[in-house]
Amino acid sequence: MKTTQQYAISYAFLGFHVLALQSKSKRPHTMLSKEGLYSATNDVNQIAKWFLKYPSINIGIACQPSGIVVFDVDERAGGRLEGLPPTRTIKTSDGYHLYYQADPSMHFPGKYREGIDIKWRGYVVAAPSIHPSGTPYKVIDSRPMEDIRMWYR
């Protein structure tokens, strides 16, 4: 099983901008991400240094700089997967994160439909981070990301 550090480095190799988050939290790490979202990096050496100092940190991915848009399906709020094209999918504590490729020049509203938010200008907590409830974020579909331009208008 891969460690959080190994996941973080593999995300960086994919070109994703990784953000250090507090352990078992969704918030940026106060010592490692002093500029919040703008501290995200795809520098694998920097990411490795984070884990030397704080091995239990969570990780996030800055969406727009990484060229991804994430549909955040919240089942408690009535969100459902129906009608969303299959893509890389992460199980969260109360729903799913669906990752789609997106051109950084694109624009998205904050909400897709009831129970589904669109994460674009911010970041998402990435697998295998631990939710504050203690539930790990888990990759349940590791297929390549679908290009959102193929279906979203």
Side-chain angles (χ1 to χ4, degrees):
M1 189 156 113
K2 286 179 16 177
T3 66
T4 303
Q5 179 179 357
Q6 290 167 327
Y7 268 91
I9 289 171
S10 67
Y11 292 145
F13 280 127
L14 289 172
F16 293 174
H17 291 248
V18 180
L19 179 66
L21 304 178
Q22 296 174 30
S23 180
K24 296 182 183 174
S25 172
K26 296 180 176 187
R27 300 179 60 114
H29 194 282
T30 54
M31 299 301 293
L32 302 176
S33 299
K34 292 181 180 179
E35 296 182 36
L37 173 65
Y38 302 105
S39 298
T41 183
N42 58 6
D43 179 336
V44 295
N45 292 320
Q46 181 62 47
I47 294 167
K49 288 177 187 175
W50 294 344
F51 284 91
L52 286 174
K53 289 183 95 168
Y54 301 95
S56 66
I57 61 173
N58 272 353
I59 54 173
I61 297 173
C63 297
Q64 190 174 12
S66 300
I68 63 169
V69 60
V70 176
F71 281 51
D72 182 0
V73 179
D74 185 343
E75 292 178 313
R76 291 177 309 164
R80 300 288 174 257
L81 294 173
E82 290 81 23
L84 295 173
T87 190
R88 180 179 179 82
T89 304
I90 311 305
K91 178 72 178 111
T92 67
S93 69
D94 49 19
Y96 304 90
H97 285 168
L98 282 77
Y99 287 50
Y100 297 96
Q101 284 182 330
D103 185 285
S105 67
M106 295 178 77
H107 298 280
F108 297 94
K111 189 171 215 54
Y112 180 63
R113 65 178 185 234
E114 191 65 33
I116 302 177
D117 292 334
I118 299 176
K119 306 295 186 182
W120 176 240
R121 297 228 178 241
Y123 65 92
V124 291
V125 179
S129 295
I130 306 297
H131 187 271
S133 70
T135 305
Y137 288 72
K138 183 178 179 184
V139 177
I140 61 168
D141 188 336
S142 60
R143 76 180 73 206
M145 292 181 293
E146 176 78 19
D147 189 330
I148 198 158
R149 294 170 290 188
M150 303 305 284
W151 65 275
Y152 183 84
R153 302 280 182 248

mmCIF file of all heavy atoms in Angstrom, residues 26 70-82 84 88-99 114-117 119 124-125 127 131 133 135-141:
data_model
loop_
_atom_site.group_PDB
_atom_site.id
_atom_site.type_symbol
_atom_site.label_atom_id
_atom_site.label_comp_id
_atom_site.label_asym_id
_atom_site.label_seq_id
_atom_site.Cartn_x
_atom_site.Cartn_y
_atom_site.Cartn_z
ATOM 1 N N LYS A 26 -8.740 19.470 6.671
ATOM 2 C CA LYS A 26 -8.864 19.998 5.315
ATOM 3 C C LYS A 26 -8.143 21.345 5.185
ATOM 4 O O LYS A 26 -8.114 21.934 4.118
ATOM 5 C CB LYS A 26 -10.342 20.208 4.964
ATOM 6 C CG LYS A 26 -11.158 18.940 4.928
ATOM 7 C CD LYS A 26 -12.603 19.275 4.558
ATOM 8 C CE LYS A 26 -13.450 18.042 4.414
ATOM 9 N NZ LYS A 26 -14.799 18.362 3.908
ATOM 10 N N VAL A 70 -12.827 19.419 -10.273
ATOM 11 C CA VAL A 70 -13.336 18.312 -9.471
ATOM 12 C C VAL A 70 -14.810 18.548 -9.163
ATOM 13 O O VAL A 70 -15.187 19.613 -8.669
ATOM 14 C CB VAL A 70 -12.528 18.156 -8.164
ATOM 15 C CG1 VAL A 70 -13.125 17.062 -7.287
ATOM 16 C CG2 VAL A 70 -11.065 17.867 -8.478
ATOM 17 N N PHE A 71 -15.617 17.548 -9.479
ATOM 18 C CA PHE A 71 -17.026 17.578 -9.128
ATOM 19 C C PHE A 71 -17.162 16.883 -7.778
ATOM 20 O O PHE A 71 -16.836 15.702 -7.645
ATOM 21 C CB PHE A 71 -17.864 16.885 -10.206
ATOM 22 C CG PHE A 71 -18.103 17.746 -11.413
ATOM 23 C CD1 PHE A 71 -17.058 18.382 -12.060
ATOM 24 C CD2 PHE A 71 -19.387 17.942 -11.895
ATOM 25 C CE1 PHE A 71 -17.273 19.188 -13.165
ATOM 26 C CE2 PHE A 71 -19.619 18.750 -13.006
ATOM 27 C CZ PHE A 71 -18.565 19.376 -13.643
ATOM 28 N N ASP A 72 -17.587 17.654 -6.779
ATOM 29 C CA ASP A 72 -17.688 17.198 -5.395
ATOM 30 C C ASP A 72 -19.127 16.774 -5.131
ATOM 31 O O ASP A 72 -20.007 17.612 -4.947
ATOM 32 C CB ASP A 72 -17.260 18.341 -4.476
ATOM 33 C CG ASP A 72 -17.273 17.974 -3.008
ATOM 34 O OD1 ASP A 72 -17.613 16.822 -2.654
ATOM 35 O OD2 ASP A 72 -16.937 18.865 -2.192
ATOM 36 N N VAL A 73 -19.349 15.474 -5.149
ATOM 37 C CA VAL A 73 -20.687 14.911 -4.984
ATOM 38 C C VAL A 73 -20.909 14.637 -3.501
ATOM 39 O O VAL A 73 -20.245 13.777 -2.921
ATOM 40 C CB VAL A 73 -20.842 13.609 -5.803
ATOM 41 C CG1 VAL A 73 -22.227 13.013 -5.612
ATOM 42 C CG2 VAL A 73 -20.551 13.857 -7.280
ATOM 43 N N ASP A 74 -21.842 15.366 -2.888
ATOM 44 C CA ASP A 74 -22.154 15.222 -1.468
ATOM 45 C C ASP A 74 -23.476 14.467 -1.342
ATOM 46 O O ASP A 74 -24.551 15.030 -1.591
ATOM 47 C CB ASP A 74 -22.248 16.599 -0.816
ATOM 48 C CG ASP A 74 -22.454 16.549 0.688
ATOM 49 O OD1 ASP A 74 -22.838 15.483 1.230
ATOM 50 O OD2 ASP A 74 -22.243 17.598 1.334
ATOM 51 N N GLU A 75 -23.394 13.209 -0.979
ATOM 52 C CA GLU A 75 -24.600 12.374 -0.882
ATOM 53 C C GLU A 75 -25.560 12.867 0.210
ATOM 54 O O GLU A 75 -26.773 12.755 0.060
ATOM 55 C CB GLU A 75 -24.222 10.911 -0.633
ATOM 56 C CG GLU A 75 -23.529 10.283 -1.825
ATOM 57 C CD GLU A 75 -23.116 8.849 -1.580
ATOM 58 O OE1 GLU A 75 -22.535 8.554 -0.509
ATOM 59 O OE2 GLU A 75 -23.380 8.025 -2.479
ATOM 60 N N ARG A 76 -25.042 13.440 1.273
ATOM 61 C CA ARG A 76 -25.911 13.953 2.347
ATOM 62 C C ARG A 76 -26.791 15.090 1.854
ATOM 63 O O ARG A 76 -27.883 15.308 2.361
ATOM 64 C CB ARG A 76 -25.084 14.450 3.529
ATOM 65 C CG ARG A 76 -24.373 13.363 4.303
ATOM 66 C CD ARG A 76 -23.525 13.945 5.396
ATOM 67 N NE ARG A 76 -22.685 14.982 4.814
ATOM 68 C CZ ARG A 76 -22.029 15.903 5.489
ATOM 69 N NH1 ARG A 76 -22.096 15.940 6.797
ATOM 70 N NH2 ARG A 76 -21.282 16.801 4.874
ATOM 71 N N ALA A 77 -26.293 15.837 0.852
ATOM 72 C CA ALA A 77 -27.035 16.968 0.293
ATOM 73 C C ALA A 77 -27.827 16.574 -0.961
ATOM 74 O O ALA A 77 -28.295 17.435 -1.690
ATOM 75 C CB ALA A 77 -26.070 18.110 -0.028
ATOM 76 N N GLY A 78 -27.931 15.276 -1.221
ATOM 77 C CA GLY A 78 -28.712 14.808 -2.361
ATOM 78 C C GLY A 78 -27.931 14.610 -3.643
ATOM 79 O O GLY A 78 -28.513 14.333 -4.690
ATOM 80 N N GLY A 79 -26.614 14.742 -3.601
ATOM 81 C CA GLY A 79 -25.799 14.552 -4.796
ATOM 82 C C GLY A 79 -25.761 13.097 -5.233
ATOM 83 O O GLY A 79 -25.691 12.198 -4.395
ATOM 84 N N ARG A 80 -25.823 12.882 -6.537
ATOM 85 C CA ARG A 80 -25.782 11.542 -7.115
ATOM 86 C C ARG A 80 -24.822 11.514 -8.287
ATOM 87 O O ARG A 80 -24.641 12.511 -8.979
ATOM 88 C CB ARG A 80 -27.175 11.103 -7.585
ATOM 89 C CG ARG A 80 -28.227 11.039 -6.499
ATOM 90 C CD ARG A 80 -27.977 9.856 -5.560
ATOM 91 N NE ARG A 80 -28.892 9.852 -4.432
ATOM 92 C CZ ARG A 80 -28.569 10.225 -3.206
ATOM 93 N NH1 ARG A 80 -27.360 10.629 -2.920
ATOM 94 N NH2 ARG A 80 -29.449 10.176 -2.235
ATOM 95 N N LEU A 81 -24.253 10.346 -8.543
ATOM 96 C CA LEU A 81 -23.297 10.180 -9.645
ATOM 97 C C LEU A 81 -23.977 10.086 -11.015
ATOM 98 O O LEU A 81 -23.315 10.292 -12.036
ATOM 99 C CB LEU A 81 -22.456 8.920 -9.425
ATOM 100 C CG LEU A 81 -21.520 8.941 -8.219
ATOM 101 C CD1 LEU A 81 -20.887 7.574 -8.020
ATOM 102 C CD2 LEU A 81 -20.463 10.011 -8.399
ATOM 103 N N GLU A 82 -25.247 9.805 -11.045
ATOM 104 C CA GLU A 82 -25.947 9.628 -12.308
ATOM 105 C C GLU A 82 -25.738 10.828 -13.224
ATOM 106 O O GLU A 82 -25.856 11.976 -12.813
ATOM 107 C CB GLU A 82 -27.457 9.414 -12.083
ATOM 108 C CG GLU A 82 -27.805 8.089 -11.455
ATOM 109 C CD GLU A 82 -27.618 8.060 -9.943
ATOM 110 O OE1 GLU A 82 -27.627 9.119 -9.301
ATOM 111 O OE2 GLU A 82 -27.424 6.949 -9.411
ATOM 112 N N LEU A 84 -22.983 11.760 -14.684
ATOM 113 C CA LEU A 84 -21.597 12.239 -14.733
ATOM 114 C C LEU A 84 -20.737 11.187 -15.425
ATOM 115 O O LEU A 84 -20.761 10.017 -15.035
ATOM 116 C CB LEU A 84 -21.065 12.509 -13.324
ATOM 117 C CG LEU A 84 -21.757 13.631 -12.560
ATOM 118 C CD1 LEU A 84 -21.261 13.678 -11.123
ATOM 119 C CD2 LEU A 84 -21.531 14.975 -13.247
ATOM 120 N N ARG A 88 -11.543 9.434 -13.119
ATOM 121 C CA ARG A 88 -10.853 9.148 -11.852
ATOM 122 C C ARG A 88 -11.759 9.585 -10.707
ATOM 123 O O ARG A 88 -12.231 10.723 -10.688
ATOM 124 C CB ARG A 88 -9.526 9.891 -11.805
ATOM 125 C CG ARG A 88 -8.750 9.659 -10.536
ATOM 126 C CD ARG A 88 -7.416 10.402 -10.554
ATOM 127 N NE ARG A 88 -6.694 10.189 -9.345
ATOM 128 C CZ ARG A 88 -5.941 9.122 -9.080
ATOM 129 N NH1 ARG A 88 -5.797 8.182 -9.980
ATOM 130 N NH2 ARG A 88 -5.309 9.011 -7.931
ATOM 131 N N THR A 89 -12.005 8.673 -9.753
ATOM 132 C CA THR A 89 -12.964 8.950 -8.685
ATOM 133 C C THR A 89 -12.370 8.606 -7.324
ATOM 134 O O THR A 89 -11.773 7.553 -7.145
ATOM 135 C CB THR A 89 -14.265 8.145 -8.904
ATOM 136 O OG1 THR A 89 -14.778 8.462 -10.203
ATOM 137 C CG2 THR A 89 -15.303 8.468 -7.853
ATOM 138 N N ILE A 90 -12.586 9.511 -6.382
ATOM 139 C CA ILE A 90 -12.122 9.361 -5.008
ATOM 140 C C ILE A 90 -13.353 9.270 -4.102
ATOM 141 O O ILE A 90 -14.263 10.094 -4.212
ATOM 142 C CB ILE A 90 -11.270 10.579 -4.563
ATOM 143 C CG1 ILE A 90 -10.185 10.923 -5.577
ATOM 144 C CG2 ILE A 90 -10.720 10.378 -3.153
ATOM 145 C CD1 ILE A 90 -9.256 9.828 -5.959
ATOM 146 N N LYS A 91 -13.370 8.290 -3.201
ATOM 147 C CA LYS A 91 -14.436 8.200 -2.197
ATOM 148 C C LYS A 91 -14.046 9.092 -1.036
ATOM 149 O O LYS A 91 -12.937 9.002 -0.503
ATOM 150 C CB LYS A 91 -14.599 6.739 -1.731
ATOM 151 C CG LYS A 91 -15.656 6.555 -0.661
ATOM 152 C CD LYS A 91 -17.049 6.724 -1.222
ATOM 153 C CE LYS A 91 -18.114 6.505 -0.164
ATOM 154 N NZ LYS A 91 -18.834 7.701 0.222
ATOM 155 N N THR A 92 -14.949 9.998 -0.676
ATOM 156 C CA THR A 92 -14.734 10.887 0.458
ATOM 157 C C THR A 92 -15.571 10.377 1.628
ATOM 158 O O THR A 92 -16.232 9.355 1.522
ATOM 159 C CB THR A 92 -15.130 12.335 0.103
ATOM 160 O OG1 THR A 92 -16.542 12.395 -0.103
ATOM 161 C CG2 THR A 92 -14.397 12.816 -1.144
ATOM 162 N N SER A 93 -15.605 11.086 2.722
ATOM 163 C CA SER A 93 -16.364 10.616 3.880
ATOM 164 C C SER A 93 -17.866 10.622 3.625
ATOM 165 O O SER A 93 -18.586 9.819 4.212
ATOM 166 C CB SER A 93 -16.041 11.465 5.108
ATOM 167 O OG SER A 93 -16.549 12.768 4.950
ATOM 168 N N ASP A 94 -18.338 11.505 2.770
ATOM 169 C CA ASP A 94 -19.779 11.597 2.544
ATOM 170 C C ASP A 94 -20.146 11.741 1.070
ATOM 171 O O ASP A 94 -21.161 12.324 0.729
ATOM 172 C CB ASP A 94 -20.381 12.743 3.357
ATOM 173 C CG ASP A 94 -19.607 14.042 3.196
ATOM 174 O OD1 ASP A 94 -18.844 14.177 2.227
ATOM 175 O OD2 ASP A 94 -19.775 14.926 4.059
ATOM 176 N N GLY A 95 -19.287 11.228 0.200
ATOM 177 C CA GLY A 95 -19.584 11.310 -1.222
ATOM 178 C C GLY A 95 -18.396 10.927 -2.076
ATOM 179 O O GLY A 95 -17.661 9.988 -1.753
ATOM 180 N N TYR A 96 -18.204 11.709 -3.144
ATOM 181 C CA TYR A 96 -17.171 11.394 -4.124
ATOM 182 C C TYR A 96 -16.563 12.668 -4.679
ATOM 183 O O TYR A 96 -17.222 13.703 -4.763
ATOM 184 C CB TYR A 96 -17.771 10.610 -5.307
ATOM 185 C CG TYR A 96 -18.477 9.357 -4.893
ATOM 186 C CD1 TYR A 96 -19.833 9.371 -4.587
ATOM 187 C CD2 TYR A 96 -17.784 8.150 -4.788
ATOM 188 C CE1 TYR A 96 -20.488 8.220 -4.181
ATOM 189 C CE2 TYR A 96 -18.435 6.992 -4.388
ATOM 190 C CZ TYR A 96 -19.787 7.035 -4.091
ATOM 191 O OH TYR A 96 -20.420 5.901 -3.691
ATOM 192 N N HIS A 97 -15.307 12.569 -5.106
ATOM 193 C CA HIS A 97 -14.645 13.593 -5.908
ATOM 194 C C HIS A 97 -14.378 12.973 -7.273
ATOM 195 O O HIS A 97 -13.693 11.953 -7.348
ATOM 196 C CB HIS A 97 -13.314 14.029 -5.296
ATOM 197 C CG HIS A 97 -13.437 14.911 -4.109
ATOM 198 N ND1 HIS A 97 -12.369 15.209 -3.296
ATOM 199 C CD2 HIS A 97 -14.494 15.582 -3.582
ATOM 200 C CE1 HIS A 97 -12.757 16.023 -2.337
ATOM 201 N NE2 HIS A 97 -14.049 16.254 -2.477
ATOM 202 N N LEU A 98 -14.915 13.569 -8.329
ATOM 203 C CA LEU A 98 -14.661 13.112 -9.691
ATOM 204 C C LEU A 98 -13.718 14.106 -10.350
ATOM 205 O O LEU A 98 -14.030 15.300 -10.427
ATOM 206 C CB LEU A 98 -15.969 13.010 -10.493
ATOM 207 C CG LEU A 98 -16.812 11.775 -10.180
ATOM 208 C CD1 LEU A 98 -17.549 11.923 -8.869
ATOM 209 C CD2 LEU A 98 -17.781 11.516 -11.304
ATOM 210 N N TYR A 99 -12.550 13.611 -10.796
ATOM 211 C CA TYR A 99 -11.503 14.452 -11.370
ATOM 212 C C TYR A 99 -11.621 14.441 -12.892
ATOM 213 O O TYR A 99 -11.614 13.378 -13.513
ATOM 214 C CB TYR A 99 -10.122 13.909 -11.030
ATOM 215 C CG TYR A 99 -9.661 14.096 -9.599
ATOM 216 C CD1 TYR A 99 -10.458 13.743 -8.518
ATOM 217 C CD2 TYR A 99 -8.403 14.595 -9.332
ATOM 218 C CE1 TYR A 99 -10.012 13.894 -7.217
ATOM 219 C CE2 TYR A 99 -7.939 14.739 -8.032
ATOM 220 C CZ TYR A 99 -8.759 14.396 -6.983
ATOM 221 O OH TYR A 99 -8.306 14.543 -5.705
ATOM 222 N N GLU A 114 -27.948 20.251 -7.622
ATOM 223 C CA GLU A 114 -28.172 19.979 -6.206
ATOM 224 C C GLU A 114 -27.240 18.870 -5.700
ATOM 225 O O GLU A 114 -27.180 17.786 -6.282
ATOM 226 C CB GLU A 114 -29.639 19.562 -5.979
ATOM 227 C CG GLU A 114 -30.033 19.524 -4.522
ATOM 228 C CD GLU A 114 -29.992 20.884 -3.855
ATOM 229 O OE1 GLU A 114 -30.276 21.896 -4.520
ATOM 230 O OE2 GLU A 114 -29.655 20.938 -2.662
ATOM 231 N N GLY A 115 -26.482 19.179 -4.655
ATOM 232 C CA GLY A 115 -25.602 18.198 -4.042
ATOM 233 C C GLY A 115 -24.270 18.007 -4.739
ATOM 234 O O GLY A 115 -23.476 17.163 -4.324
ATOM 235 N N ILE A 116 -23.994 18.786 -5.799
ATOM 236 C CA ILE A 116 -22.723 18.661 -6.519
ATOM 237 C C ILE A 116 -22.099 20.036 -6.708
ATOM 238 O O ILE A 116 -22.615 20.876 -7.451
ATOM 239 C CB ILE A 116 -22.892 17.976 -7.896
ATOM 240 C CG1 ILE A 116 -23.519 16.593 -7.734
ATOM 241 C CG2 ILE A 116 -21.534 17.884 -8.601
ATOM 242 C CD1 ILE A 116 -23.787 15.878 -9.042
ATOM 243 N N ASP A 117 -20.995 20.264 -5.998
ATOM 244 C CA ASP A 117 -20.228 21.495 -6.149
ATOM 245 C C ASP A 117 -19.105 21.267 -7.146
ATOM 246 O O ASP A 117 -18.650 20.136 -7.346
ATOM 247 C CB ASP A 117 -19.626 21.926 -4.804
ATOM 248 C CG ASP A 117 -20.690 22.364 -3.809
ATOM 249 O OD1 ASP A 117 -21.770 22.798 -4.236
ATOM 250 O OD2 ASP A 117 -20.429 22.244 -2.598
ATOM 251 N N LYS A 119 -15.250 22.218 -7.872
ATOM 252 C CA LYS A 119 -14.019 22.759 -7.288
ATOM 253 C C LYS A 119 -13.062 23.100 -8.432
ATOM 254 O O LYS A 119 -12.642 22.214 -9.176
ATOM 255 C CB LYS A 119 -13.360 21.737 -6.352
ATOM 256 C CG LYS A 119 -14.287 21.212 -5.273
ATOM 257 C CD LYS A 119 -14.695 22.302 -4.316
ATOM 258 C CE LYS A 119 -15.513 21.702 -3.174
ATOM 259 N NZ LYS A 119 -15.972 22.701 -2.245
ATOM 260 N N VAL A 124 -8.751 20.556 -3.415
ATOM 261 C CA VAL A 124 -9.486 19.442 -2.823
ATOM 262 C C VAL A 124 -8.516 18.628 -1.975
ATOM 263 O O VAL A 124 -7.314 18.597 -2.250
ATOM 264 C CB VAL A 124 -10.146 18.526 -3.876
ATOM 265 C CG1 VAL A 124 -11.282 19.245 -4.582
ATOM 266 C CG2 VAL A 124 -9.135 17.978 -4.863
ATOM 267 N N VAL A 125 -9.043 17.989 -0.944
ATOM 268 C CA VAL A 125 -8.251 17.051 -0.164
ATOM 269 C C VAL A 125 -8.050 15.818 -1.030
ATOM 270 O O VAL A 125 -8.973 15.344 -1.686
ATOM 271 C CB VAL A 125 -8.952 16.692 1.160
ATOM 272 C CG1 VAL A 125 -8.118 15.700 1.953
ATOM 273 C CG2 VAL A 125 -9.225 17.951 1.973
ATOM 274 N N ALA A 127 -6.585 11.794 -1.887
ATOM 275 C CA ALA A 127 -6.329 10.462 -1.325
ATOM 276 C C ALA A 127 -4.821 10.291 -1.154
ATOM 277 O O ALA A 127 -4.055 10.820 -1.950
ATOM 278 C CB ALA A 127 -6.874 9.387 -2.269
ATOM 279 N N HIS A 131 -9.864 12.218 6.575
ATOM 280 C CA HIS A 131 -10.902 13.210 6.857
ATOM 281 C C HIS A 131 -10.939 13.470 8.365
ATOM 282 O O HIS A 131 -10.592 12.581 9.159
ATOM 283 C CB HIS A 131 -12.250 12.662 6.359
ATOM 284 C CG HIS A 131 -13.363 13.633 6.441
ATOM 285 N ND1 HIS A 131 -14.164 13.764 7.562
ATOM 286 C CD2 HIS A 131 -13.835 14.531 5.538
ATOM 287 C CE1 HIS A 131 -15.071 14.693 7.344
ATOM 288 N NE2 HIS A 131 -14.901 15.170 6.118
ATOM 289 N N SER A 133 -13.218 13.184 10.304
ATOM 290 C CA SER A 133 -14.028 12.135 10.940
ATOM 291 C C SER A 133 -13.238 10.848 11.163
ATOM 292 O O SER A 133 -13.712 9.940 11.842
ATOM 293 C CB SER A 133 -15.243 11.814 10.052
ATOM 294 O OG SER A 133 -14.815 11.154 8.866
ATOM 295 N N THR A 135 -12.175 8.989 8.488
ATOM 296 C CA THR A 135 -12.340 8.207 7.261
ATOM 297 C C THR A 135 -11.274 8.595 6.233
ATOM 298 O O THR A 135 -11.112 9.781 5.942
ATOM 299 C CB THR A 135 -13.735 8.468 6.643
ATOM 300 O OG1 THR A 135 -14.732 8.191 7.623
ATOM 301 C CG2 THR A 135 -13.959 7.620 5.407
ATOM 302 N N PRO A 136 -10.555 7.624 5.660
ATOM 303 C CA PRO A 136 -9.570 7.976 4.628
ATOM 304 C C PRO A 136 -10.240 8.261 3.286
ATOM 305 O O PRO A 136 -11.269 7.667 2.952
ATOM 306 C CB PRO A 136 -8.698 6.718 4.525
ATOM 307 C CG PRO A 136 -9.542 5.613 5.045
ATOM 308 C CD PRO A 136 -10.520 6.213 6.012
ATOM 309 N N TYR A 137 -9.663 9.181 2.542
ATOM 310 C CA TYR A 137 -10.053 9.406 1.153
ATOM 311 C C TYR A 137 -9.435 8.253 0.365
ATOM 312 O O TYR A 137 -8.273 7.924 0.574
ATOM 313 C CB TYR A 137 -9.500 10.738 0.642
ATOM 314 C CG TYR A 137 -10.184 11.954 1.225
ATOM 315 C CD1 TYR A 137 -9.984 12.336 2.546
ATOM 316 C CD2 TYR A 137 -11.034 12.726 0.444
ATOM 317 C CE1 TYR A 137 -10.604 13.456 3.077
ATOM 318 C CE2 TYR A 137 -11.657 13.850 0.962
ATOM 319 C CZ TYR A 137 -11.440 14.213 2.278
ATOM 320 O OH TYR A 137 -12.061 15.318 2.795
ATOM 321 N N LYS A 138 -10.224 7.629 -0.513
ATOM 322 C CA LYS A 138 -9.752 6.420 -1.180
ATOM 323 C C LYS A 138 -10.032 6.475 -2.678
ATOM 324 O O LYS A 138 -11.158 6.789 -3.091
ATOM 325 C CB LYS A 138 -10.456 5.203 -0.567
ATOM 326 C CG LYS A 138 -9.990 3.889 -1.121
ATOM 327 C CD LYS A 138 -10.690 2.738 -0.437
ATOM 328 C CE LYS A 138 -10.202 1.435 -1.041
ATOM 329 N NZ LYS A 138 -10.896 0.288 -0.509
ATOM 330 N N VAL A 139 -9.015 6.139 -3.483
ATOM 331 C CA VAL A 139 -9.203 6.048 -4.926
ATOM 332 C C VAL A 139 -10.040 4.807 -5.202
ATOM 333 O O VAL A 139 -9.645 3.699 -4.843
ATOM 334 C CB VAL A 139 -7.851 5.947 -5.675
ATOM 335 C CG1 VAL A 139 -8.079 5.790 -7.168
ATOM 336 C CG2 VAL A 139 -6.967 7.151 -5.384
ATOM 337 N N ILE A 140 -11.211 5.000 -5.825
ATOM 338 C CA ILE A 140 -12.057 3.848 -6.154
ATOM 339 C C ILE A 140 -12.135 3.617 -7.664
ATOM 340 O O ILE A 140 -12.612 2.572 -8.093
ATOM 341 C CB ILE A 140 -13.469 3.962 -5.545
ATOM 342 C CG1 ILE A 140 -14.202 5.189 -6.055
ATOM 343 C CG2 ILE A 140 -13.384 3.935 -4.023
ATOM 344 C CD1 ILE A 140 -15.689 5.195 -5.712
ATOM 345 N N ASP A 141 -11.681 4.580 -8.446
ATOM 346 C CA ASP A 141 -11.608 4.419 -9.901
ATOM 347 C C ASP A 141 -10.360 5.167 -10.361
ATOM 348 O O ASP A 141 -10.317 6.388 -10.306
ATOM 349 C CB ASP A 141 -12.853 4.973 -10.579
ATOM 350 C CG ASP A 141 -12.919 4.652 -12.065
ATOM 351 O OD1 ASP A 141 -11.856 4.407 -12.682
ATOM 352 O OD2 ASP A 141 -14.032 4.660 -12.627
#
